[in-house]
Amino acid sequence: MGDRQKAMKNQDLEQRIIELETKVAFQDDTIAQLNDELSHHQDSIRQLQEQIRLLGSRFKEIREHMQAESEGSSDIVHEIP
């Protein structure tokens, strides 16, 4: 193999290495962006879960209050002469 062919082969290898390094850098950036996005989604899910828990608690309180009122009004009706 002549010097010229070796030089061309080296240039081809260098170009391939540069392309691979570029792809790896792009993939690293993409992974970092996806990780950030995933973190934001996890935070949103935690907030939504907490809101659902609070709504469930509030719904239970309202239901119990309404049942107590309903039972209380039944007693009053029975007490009226």
Side-chain angles (χ1 to χ4, degrees), residues 60-70:
K60 183 179 176 184
E61 290 173 7
I62 291 170
R63 185 179 63 213
E64 290 171 353
H65 179 73
M66 290 178 71
Q67 286 175 343
E69 281 185 351
S70 175

Side-chain angles (χ1 to χ4, degrees), residues 7-21:
M8 288 181 70
K9 190 170 185 174
N10 284 341
Q11 285 177 345
D12 288 343
L13 288 174
E14 285 180 33
Q15 184 60 34
R16 289 178 65 192
I17 290 171
I18 290 169
E19 288 173 6
L20 290 172
E21 288 174 339

